[in-house]
Amino acid sequence: MSRHGEPHEHGEHGERGKRGVSGASGELGETSRYVFSYEPLGEPGAGPVDTSERDRRDAEVGAFLNHVAELGFEAGPKGLELRSVDVATRTCAFRQEREVDPRPPVRAPGEESGGAVLLGSPSWAHLAHLVGELPFLFSFREYGPEGGPELRGVDAPTREWADVLVEHRGEQWRVRVALEGRERPVEFPGMEIGELFGEGDYRRFLLPGTTDVLDAGV
């Protein structure tokens, strides 16, 4: 359901292929940083991409984001929390928190492990679920008069919030998503972000004091 009550259907984004993960660790101040790397997508902006090529890349990126989400759910209870995701290079980084958030993810009764995360869950669970839902953004490229944005990554420097990094009409934007103190679950972030840009009213959500951060309550 869209923010204006219009239903939307989302198709599958391809099957997961073979995935390779490599790890590296290093010190960042008093935290540890863990990086998982995938093969690059290629140079962005290298010319028009046909539909079949774009669909192939969407499927690969969707599989990557789903795997990152799985890693987020597995690592969160151990104090390893997702820090960033880069779609172009298909890499993600985790940080080791000093104190593990003891709260388990809260889900609806009977909901499978991949289902929505409800209020009362730790921030790392909301973040992992957010990442796993972002492939739906690909379905909104042609939405509305402005068209949807291209996903570039996720930046989560704090447990309080994360920014979804997108490009729209040649401009870079950060869509802020609260991870703590939410009033509703993170449900359809890909759809909401696609509609936000496609409808063309995104600039009114610019966070005061910033030039590229949008806070639309996603």
Side-chain angles (χ1 to χ4, degrees):
M1 188 68 67
S2 75
R3 290 184 295 129
H4 298 291
E6 299 176 359
H8 289 283
E9 294 183 358
H10 303 288
E12 295 295 325
H13 292 281
E15 297 180 357
R16 298 180 185 177
K18 295 180 180 179
R19 297 169 299 206
V21 182
S22 62
S25 63
E27 293 298 324
L28 283 181
E30 297 181 352
T31 63
S32 297
R33 184 169 177 268
Y34 298 79
V35 179
F36 296 84
S37 178
Y38 288 68
E39 70 275 12
L41 282 172
E43 292 296 328
V49 178
D50 62 40
T51 302
S52 60
E53 174 67 10
R54 189 178 70 181
D55 289 346
R56 181 187 68 81
R57 291 189 177 186
D58 286 353
E60 292 178 354
V61 172
F64 164 61
L65 293 175
N66 286 330
H67 189 47
V68 172
E70 292 171 0
L71 290 173
F73 279 114
E74 292 171 4
K78 304 171 186 177
L80 278 174
E81 300 186 7
L82 190 61
R83 170 62 180 81
S84 63
V85 179
D86 189 306
V87 167
T89 60
R90 265 181 273 184
T91 58
C92 61
F94 287 76
R95 64 174 176 268
Q96 178 71 62
E97 294 289 349
R98 286 184 174 181
E99 297 182 4
V100 177
D101 190 327
R103 296 174 295 172
V106 180
R107 302 182 190 275
E111 189 71 67
E112 296 182 0
S113 60
V117 176
L118 304 183
L119 300 181
S121 298
S123 60
W124 56 259
H126 288 296
L127 178 57
H129 180 67
L130 167 68
V131 171
E133 289 290 307
L134 288 178
F136 287 104
L137 182 59
F138 303 148
S139 301
F140 287 83
R141 287 192 177 97
E142 310 302 325
Y143 180 84
E146 295 281 334
E150 287 295 330
L151 178 65
R152 297 303 180 213
V154 178
D155 183 31
T158 172
R159 283 176 163 177
E160 300 298 318
W161 48 263
D163 286 340
V164 177
L165 312 179
V166 298
E167 180 177 341
H168 185 254
R169 294 178 173 262
E171 294 183 306
Q172 307 293 322
W173 296 94
R174 305 172 72 94
V175 181
R176 186 143 297 176
V177 180
L179 302 177
E180 290 283 6
R182 293 189 60 86
E183 297 181 355
R184 64 182 178 93
V186 178
E187 294 181 292
F188 305 108
M191 180 185 73
E192 291 188 38
I193 293 172
E195 290 182 341
L196 174 67
F197 284 90
E199 292 170 359
D201 61 349
Y202 54 93
R203 293 181 188 274
R204 70 186 180 93
F205 294 104
L206 194 64
L207 198 65
T210 72
T211 58
D212 63 345
V213 181
L214 304 176
D215 188 357
V218 174

